[in-house]
Amino acid sequence: MPETFPRSAFDQIVVNAADPPGLARFWGALLGAEPVDRADGWAYLPAAHGRPRISFQPDPDPASGPVRLHLDVRTADLPAAAAAAAGLGASPEGPPVTDEQGSFQVMRDPEGNVFCLTAPGGRAR
């Protein structure tokens, strides 16, 4: 019988970033959160409204290889959210997609990290 992992709780999401304060400001504007800068070069968005804390740690190396994890951001108005995200420095990757799970738009944040804007219609993406 496999060993069981001690009871644990989800703590935070950590994103490597060339410019942690800048990326925290982008995500703070996107999610309606006030970013906090730390003296050690890190920045974070405090946990709120059912969202865990999101931290941004300094990492000068660009991301490489295929993306294995991304964040989904739910919105009621996919076209408006995509336009607003683009105004903050994000870029769309391909056209919006609708499938049996709902609609989504793949985006890249200012440092190239992938995220999806998702719209209602069942469990989107």
Side-chain angles (χ1 to χ4, degrees):
M1 181 151 235
E3 291 184 41
T4 59
F5 195 80
R7 184 172 209 142
S8 57
F10 191 78
D11 185 35
Q12 68 179 325
I13 296 167
V14 179
V15 178
N16 292 5
D19 176 16
L23 203 54
R25 277 161 186 60
F26 166 82
W27 281 98
L30 190 72
L31 298 173
E34 189 62 38
V36 178
D37 294 337
R38 290 180 20 189
D40 58 2
W42 285 61
Y44 67 92
L45 304 178
H49 312 294
R51 175 186 40 75
R53 175 177 162 143
I54 304 174
S55 292
F56 302 87
Q57 72 178 354
D59 183 356
D61 296 329
S64 63
V67 175
R68 301 293 301 220
L69 175 72
H70 69 266
L71 302 178
D72 280 0
V73 177
R74 186 176 308 142
T75 181
D77 186 337
L78 190 59
L88 295 169
S91 55
E93 190 163 290
V97 175
T98 299
D99 62 18
E100 68 279 354
Q101 298 294 309
S103 297
F104 62 95
Q105 171 67 62
V106 178
M107 305 286 291
R108 289 197 177 263
D109 73 15
E111 290 199 10
N113 300 304
V114 173
F115 68 99
C116 286
L117 297 171
T118 65
R123 180 167 168 76
R125 196 88 177 125

